[in-house]
Amino acid sequence: MTGATLTDKRIIITGAASGLGRAMAIMAAADGAHMALMDINAKGLDETIGMLGDATAFPIVADISDWNAVETGVKEAVDRLGRLDAVCNVAGWDEPGRFWEQSLEFWEKIVAINLWGTLYMCRATVPSLVEQGAGTTVSVASDAGRVGSKGETVYAAAKGGVMALTKSLAREMAPYNVTVNCVCPGPMMTPLLQAEMESTPKLIEKLIRAIPLRRVAEPSDAAALIRFLASDAASYMTGQVISVSGGLTMVG
Ligand SMILES: NC(=O)c1ccc[n+]([C@@H]2O[C@H](COP(=O)([O-])OP(=O)(O)OC[C@H]3O[C@@H](n4cnc5c(N)ncnc54)[C@H](O)[C@@H]3O)[C@@H](O)[C@H]2O)c1
């Protein structure tokens, strides 16, 4: 199978209890993928699984910023899936605020989830992919990391790290026929953005004026790219960082 479909693929998706991770799980389920859905939010995972019809999907409740939880969760996922074709690192977190007013503990949490969480997931899953001599990893960063974002300085730094790790890991994994790519959403209508809008109510109008395609993304807009990169159709792509931003960012 070489098309942009995930039929019969064995996939781990983090962040699947909400927003983009949930949208990705729904798309993969429609293709007939088999999925381990990882998230810190058990109730949200159950809700997602309830939306997947007859698809094979099971929840793994784990905090991706905790190495022991990631190692145990990934082992369970790979054992139950039987093999691992794609890893979709979607989980992330942010709360905007002034750089100089945020506590160091808050910074540590941002970096722990967005950067360490992605590193841990790669560290725990790469041995299976290398052993198989096949597979792919798609990590979600953010356009904040590509072009900067006011009020999101530490988040942008962590997401910039996800982009950089994508490129170097892609070089390390290429000899094993394993690809590594990165998706950078712009503003996307998910609970993460909705929470930010509560603190800045005029944000959405300003965003729509600035976006060439004149709308904020739906989670399915970015999920469509993750699905493509996780499929065999993208088997000749690696080390790429791609935006889904309605044209808000156009970086050469
Ligand atoms: N929404 C946007 O505008 C936007 C823009 C750019 C990038 N992103 C990125 O897209 C990804 C998905 O975000 P979203 O908008 O769907 O947000 P969301 O809040 O709807 O979903 C994020 C999911 O990650 C999970 N999560 C958070 N911390 C975790 C942890 N420590 N361990 C395990 N799971 C954890 C949450 O429980 C939630 O289910 C994130 O990486 C985010 O940084 C979002």
Side-chain angles (χ1 to χ4, degrees):
M1 181 84 61
T2 54
T5 174
L6 301 175
T7 309
D8 205 33
K9 294 284 186 194
R10 314 286 154 137
I11 307 177
I12 297 178
I13 305 174
T14 71
S18 177
L20 177 54
R22 173 176 284 171
M24 180 57 204
I26 290 170
M27 258 184 209
D31 278 349
H34 305 276
M35 292 172 282
L37 303 181
M38 281 177 81
D39 204 289
I40 200 167
N41 175 355
K43 186 166 167 282
L45 279 180
D46 288 344
E47 284 168 10
T48 300
I49 287 171
M51 297 172 181
L52 302 184
D54 293 335
T56 325
F58 55 89
I60 294 191
V61 180
D63 177 351
I64 59 159
S65 67
D66 174 345
W67 166 247
N68 290 328
V70 169
E71 194 180 31
T72 308
V74 166
K75 187 176 180 319
E76 182 190 337
V78 176
D79 286 349
R80 289 180 66 180
L81 290 171
R83 65 168 200 270
L84 186 57
D85 298 311
V87 181
C88 301
N89 292 316
V90 184
W93 182 75
D94 186 27
E95 239 175 55
R98 286 201 181 100
F99 175 77
W100 63 94
E101 289 175 358
Q102 292 167 332
S103 69
L104 297 187
E105 290 74 21
F106 178 82
W107 285 9
E108 277 162 18
K109 182 174 173 186
I110 296 263
V111 177
I113 295 173
N114 294 290
L115 181 55
W116 279 106
T118 309
L119 280 166
Y120 286 161
M121 284 301 300
C122 292
R123 178 69 184 81
T125 53
V126 150
S128 298
L129 304 178
V130 166
E131 196 185 325
Q132 290 167 184
T136 187
T137 294
V138 184
S139 297
V140 174
S142 168
D143 266 351
R146 298 191 92 189
V147 300
S149 177
K150 189 176 157 195
E152 298 190 303
T153 296
V154 179
Y155 172 78
K159 293 298 198 183
V162 172
M163 291 179 230
L165 93 83
T166 295
K167 294 173 193 175
S168 292
L169 193 59
R171 291 183 188 278
E172 279 202 60
M173 294 298 105
Y176 305 96
N177 191 36
V178 174
T179 59
V180 188
N181 290 293
C182 179
V183 170
C184 289
M188 194 172 45
M189 200 45 80
T190 67
L192 188 77
L193 184 64
Q194 278 151 2
E196 290 181 22
M197 277 162 37
E198 275 162 29
S199 56
T200 327
K202 294 247 174 221
L203 181 69
I204 192 77
E205 293 159 35
K206 278 196 205 160
L207 278 174
I208 291 171
R209 273 201 300 274
I211 295 171
L213 288 178
R214 288 287 185 273
R215 68 176 176 86
V216 169
E218 293 299 324
S220 58
D221 291 310
L225 179 59
I226 302 174
R227 171 178 177 256
F228 170 74
L229 290 171
S231 76
D232 293 341
S235 60
Y236 194 60
M237 290 180 68
T238 197
Q240 302 306 303
V241 174
I242 307 172
S243 289
V244 183
S245 66
L248 180 62
T249 53
M250 299 189 190
V251 185

